[in-house]
Amino acid sequence: MLEVEHLNAGYGLVQVLNDVTLSVPEGAIVTLLGANGAGKTTALNTIAGLMRPWSGQVTFRNRRCDALPAHRIVRQGLSLVAEQRELFLSMTILENLMLGAYTRNDQKEIRESLELVFEIFPRLAERKAQVARTLSGGEQQMLAIGRGLMAKPSLLLLDEPSLGIAPLVVLEIFDQIRKINRLGVSVFVVEQNAKIALEVASYGYVMENGRITVEGAADVLRSNPKIQEAYLGI
C-alpha cells in the first residue's frame, strides 16, 4: 500500500532523514519507534506531502505521490493526524469533524462517516456541540483521530497518539485504533511508547538519527535486547 524508498529530507541545510526505506502493507498496523528528535515526525510530514523530499520516493497505492500537494494526497486516501492534534479550539467537536471532510462532496457518505466516528468514539457524539478547547487531552486526541477518519482514508498516519494523555486513556485510544484497523483502514503509527505500539502493530521500524536501524515483526522487536533496554525499560 505505502512504499517509502531511500527517502532523504530536512530543513534548510540540515538533513533529518537519511536513506529511509519502509512499507505499510494493505490492512496492517505498522509502527515507527524512536526517541524524541529521531526524525519520526519529519518522516510522516514528508509522506503526507507537508514537506518535499530531497531525494527518494513515496508511492501510495502504486502511484508516486512525493511531488503532490497535501490536499491531493488526502484525496487519494491518506490522512495524517498530527502530533499536536492541530484542532480548531474555538470550534465545536462537530465543526472540527466536518472540516475533516473538506475534500469530499457526497453528503450521504459524509453523514455515514460521521456516524462511524460517533460509533467509534461515543464520547464525541455525546458532546458534539462542545467547544474543542474545553475537552481533556484524551478527548482532543479522539477528536483529532475522528477528524482524520472524516477524510475516509484507506491509510491513517498517527503521530504520537499517546502524547500527554493519561495511561488509562491511552489504552482506550489504542483499543479504538485496533477497531479502526478491523474496519479496513491500514494504520502507520509513530510512537515513543514502544510497549503499547508493539502490542498493537504487526511490524515495526526503529529510527535513530534519521535512519532506520532495526526493523522486524513486532514480537521479534519485543524480544530484541536492544529494544528492551532502550524502549521497554527491561
Side-chain angles (χ1 to χ4, degrees):
M1 171 177 266
L2 176 70
E3 299 289 340
V4 177
E5 300 176 88
H6 306 293
L7 199 65
N8 295 280
Y11 305 91
L13 299 177
V14 180
Q15 185 166 359
V16 177
L17 301 182
N18 294 272
D19 198 39
V20 171
T21 295
L22 55 83
S23 64
V24 180
E26 184 96 32
I29 300 178
V30 175
T31 187
L32 177 62
L33 307 174
N36 190 30
K40 307 184 301 300
T41 293
T42 300
L44 285 192
N45 287 344
T46 306
I47 291 168
L50 299 177
M51 292 180 59
R52 290 283 170 263
W54 294 359
S55 61
Q57 67 181 48
V58 179
T59 306
F60 181 59
R61 291 194 172 280
N62 299 315
R63 296 178 62 184
R64 284 282 298 272
C65 62
D66 45 84
L68 295 178
H71 69 276
R72 288 186 59 189
I73 295 176
V74 172
R75 286 194 176 98
Q76 288 187 3
L78 190 153
S79 184
L80 170 66
V81 178
E83 178 180 0
Q84 300 296 332
R85 300 187 276 269
E86 304 295 344
L87 299 173
F88 294 91
L89 296 178
S90 62
M91 299 174 71
T92 66
I93 286 175
L94 182 58
E95 288 168 338
N96 271 277
L97 290 174
M98 294 306 293
L99 282 172
Y102 78 99
T103 60
R104 304 171 62 189
N105 297 313
D106 190 314
Q107 294 303 310
K108 180 176 181 293
E109 290 189 356
I110 291 172
R111 287 194 299 272
E112 289 172 352
S113 294
L114 186 62
E115 290 171 4
L116 178 63
V117 169
F118 285 156
E119 179 184 333
I120 295 170
F121 300 113
R123 206 175 310 176
L124 299 182
E126 297 165 3
R127 306 180 182 187
K128 61 185 177 183
Q130 190 168 332
V131 174
R133 70 159 49 90
T134 65
L135 302 175
S136 68
E139 290 165 344
Q140 288 189 9
Q141 186 64 64
M142 294 174 191
L143 178 54
I145 295 173
R147 186 179 61 183
L149 290 174
M150 287 297 294
K152 200 177 180 179
S154 53
L155 175 60
L156 188 64
L157 308 181
L158 299 174
D159 195 355
E160 301 282 6
S162 71
L163 186 66
I165 298 174
L168 286 177
V169 182
V170 170
L171 294 176
E172 180 182 352
I173 286 174
F174 272 86
D175 281 343
Q176 300 310 322
I177 290 171
R178 287 190 184 97
K179 182 174 183 179
I180 290 166
N181 180 244
R182 289 196 296 269
L183 292 171
V185 180
S186 305
V187 179
F188 185 42
V189 55
V190 157
E191 258 300 332
Q192 290 189 59
N193 187 336
K195 184 178 185 299
I196 193 165
L198 291 174
E199 288 174 357
V200 170
S202 58
Y203 199 88
Y205 297 87
V206 178
M207 178 173 280
E208 297 177 5
N209 299 317
R211 298 180 184 274
I212 301 297
T213 55
V214 182
E215 66 174 276
D219 55 350
V220 173
L221 292 182
R222 282 196 299 267
S223 62
N224 183 315
K226 179 179 178 182
I227 302 301
Q228 290 179 343
E229 181 179 358
Y231 299 104
L232 301 178
I234 300 175

